[in-house]
Every structure is written in C-alpha cells, then in structure tokens.
Amino acid sequence: MAEAGPVDDAFPQKPLDGGPPREGRLSRRVLRDETLLVLALSLGASGVSALISFIGSLTRPGGLKDQAATLNASAAPGRPWLDLAWQLFGITTALVPVALVAHFLLREGHSLRTLGFDRTRPWPDLGRGAVVAAVIGSTGIAFYLAARGLGFNLTVVPEALPEVWWKYPVLILSAVQNSVLEEVIVVGYLLRRLDGLGWSRGASLAASSVLRGSYHLYQGIGGFVGNMVMGAVFVYLYRRWGRVGPLVVAHSLLDIGAFVGYALLAGKVDWLPTA
C-alpha cells in the first residue's frame, strides 16, 4: 500500500470517524494508480477494445464504409423482457466507475459537485449544453458523412433494437449514461487528477481528447478524429465554465439525437447511411 504524501491543502480528506476534514494530500503514486485503475475499469479499457476492433475492421476484406458498427443492439433477440433486463443491467453497471469517482472524491472531503455535476445551476447548464449540442451536432453529421464517403469510417448504426414499447426510453437512458460516464471521468475527474499530478494544461487537454478519440476508434479514423476534436472543445469549455454539467447536457442531446433520430429516419431519407 502506498504511503500518504506530505501534508498539503490540495486534497483535504475526511477522517473515518466522521469528524471535520483534515488537511492532507494523497501521494503522487496513489493519485496515479487510482487514475489508472478508474480508466482500466472504464473508458481506458474501452479504448483498448476499440483499437482491437479497428484492427479487425482494417484486416477484414472490403472497405471500412462497407462494414457497420452497431451501438445499441438487442441483447436477447425475440425475448423482449429478457432483452429489457439486459439493457437496464448494462446501463446501470456502466455507471459504476462514476460511483467509484464519487467515492474517491468523498474520501477527500469533496463530491461530484466539485466537478460541477449537480443541480445547483440547471438553467445555465441546459442553455449552454443546448447551444454546444447544436453547433457540434450539425458539424459532426457533416464530418461523419464526409469521412464515410472517403472510406475512413465504418457505417455507424446508432441503434438496432426491436420495435417494442421500451425502445425509445432505453435509447434515451443509454444516451444519458454515455454522457455522464464520459464527461465525469474523461473531463472532470481526469483533469482534476492530472492537475494534481502537475501536468500542464496543454498536456492534460491532449490526454483527455486523445482518450475520448481512442474509445471511438471502432468507428474508424473519422470517429477517432472527430471525437478527439470534440474532446478538445469540451476540455476548453470545462476550463472556462468549471462545470461538467453543460457538457453532460450537450452530450446527452447529441446522443439522443443520434439514437432516436436514426430510429425514426433510417430507411426513410436518402442521406442517412444504413447497414
């Protein structure tokens, strides 16, 4: 077990007896190992998985655009209630790393509110998030279509769920889950930890944006580059606003638009590629 570092006021910790927080700082080794473990249990592992998937797509006969990446698929075809149980299980367990981050922050005498993930400023968060989603959404669709047309991207199938009553609620829950997981960990938590480890702002921006791009690599080069750029924008906005709340809103709206929009439009418009 790593020993605690020197006393400092950067990371106040609550004593186990429930008394007032004592001023102390976790050692650099503990911060580093904790960060690596959180990523290994969540989006870092997803980045490795996406890389393996991308290599598989590259080495498969045919171009990338002739292959498909399905995001929300049925887990039990033909068995809707079992399928619903699997969908809800997947959404819930995917948020466990966020609970782990909340636990680590609580140990320091803080909470997710430290990252700006709370309900103290709902209307500014909603307003800013909606504007960000509108700007990124319009450019993101154009970039995806261009990347796919040039053969740099797989055909992304945002949903392939059966036509059952829970389809749209599950798609919305999936979108919100993605948003909370990514913005809390890849932006708020990761930047806080890298700041504590003494990384420069430029280096932490690069790390966060490359990480975001990495776990979208299963979509192809376009998915990697597009999400890396989005990640850089989100880091800039987080530094400016000091809150992940607007980013969660923006990401939720983007994913809801992609998931629900695809479900409503697939096969009905010529410009939307389908598998």
Side-chain angles (χ1 to χ4, degrees):
M1 180 180 296
E3 296 181 356
V7 174
D8 190 278
D9 61 356
F11 294 99
Q13 303 170 65
K14 282 186 176 179
L16 297 178
D17 62 7
R22 63 181 175 84
E23 297 300 319
R25 187 178 67 181
L26 301 176
S27 70
R28 291 174 59 87
R29 179 180 175 183
V30 170
L31 291 179
R32 181 201 64 198
D33 292 351
E34 173 193 296
T35 304
L36 291 175
L37 286 170
V38 168
L39 294 179
L41 290 171
S42 58
L43 297 166
S46 297
V48 176
S49 174
L51 174 60
I52 296 172
S53 177
F54 179 61
I55 293 172
S57 298
L58 282 178
T59 55
R60 189 176 300 149
L64 290 180
K65 70 177 181 180
D66 299 321
Q67 302 174 47
T70 303
L71 307 188
N72 294 283
S74 174
R79 306 182 67 183
W81 286 104
L82 182 62
D83 200 349
L84 174 60
W86 278 118
Q87 299 294 336
L88 295 178
F89 172 79
I91 290 170
T92 303
T93 54
L95 290 173
V96 171
V98 176
L100 182 60
V101 165
H103 167 75
F104 286 144
L105 292 174
L106 184 63
R107 178 191 59 188
E108 300 163 13
H110 297 289
S111 68
L112 291 177
R113 184 174 182 177
T114 306
L115 309 180
F117 185 60
D118 54 33
R119 294 177 294 177
T120 59
R121 302 181 63 188
W123 296 115
D125 287 352
L126 287 170
R128 287 172 169 174
V131 171
V132 173
V135 174
I136 291 182
S138 57
T139 55
I141 291 174
F143 182 79
Y144 160 67
L145 294 175
R148 180 184 176 276
L150 293 171
F152 296 144
N153 225 74
L154 284 75
T155 297
V156 177
V157 180
E159 70 86 21
L161 295 177
E163 294 295 333
V164 290
W165 65 269
W166 49 259
K167 174 176 181 173
Y168 292 103
V170 162
L171 289 176
I172 293 172
L173 286 175
S174 178
V176 173
Q177 171 256 299
N178 289 342
S179 308
V180 172
L181 177 67
E182 294 186 37
E183 305 317 324
V184 168
I185 291 182
V186 180
V187 179
Y189 173 75
L190 183 59
L191 293 182
R192 176 177 173 81
R193 283 295 176 253
L194 295 181
D195 288 348
L197 290 169
W199 285 42
S200 69
R201 290 201 166 194
S204 58
L205 182 148
S208 177
S209 58
V210 170
L211 174 60
R212 188 187 296 266
S214 72
Y215 56 78
H216 288 93
L217 189 56
Y218 68 91
Q219 299 176 10
I221 297 296
F224 172 77
V225 173
N227 280 279
M228 189 169 63
V229 172
M230 172 178 160
V233 172
F234 274 27
V235 168
Y236 169 78
L237 293 177
Y238 176 71
R239 294 292 195 189
R240 183 178 179 86
W241 295 333
R243 296 183 58 77
V244 297
L247 308 182
V248 171
V249 171
H251 196 153
S252 295
L253 292 175
L254 288 170
D255 279 8
I256 290 171
F259 299 167
V260 174
Y262 184 90
L264 294 174
L265 298 177
K268 299 177 182 179
V269 293
D270 296 334
W271 56 266
L272 182 62
T274 56

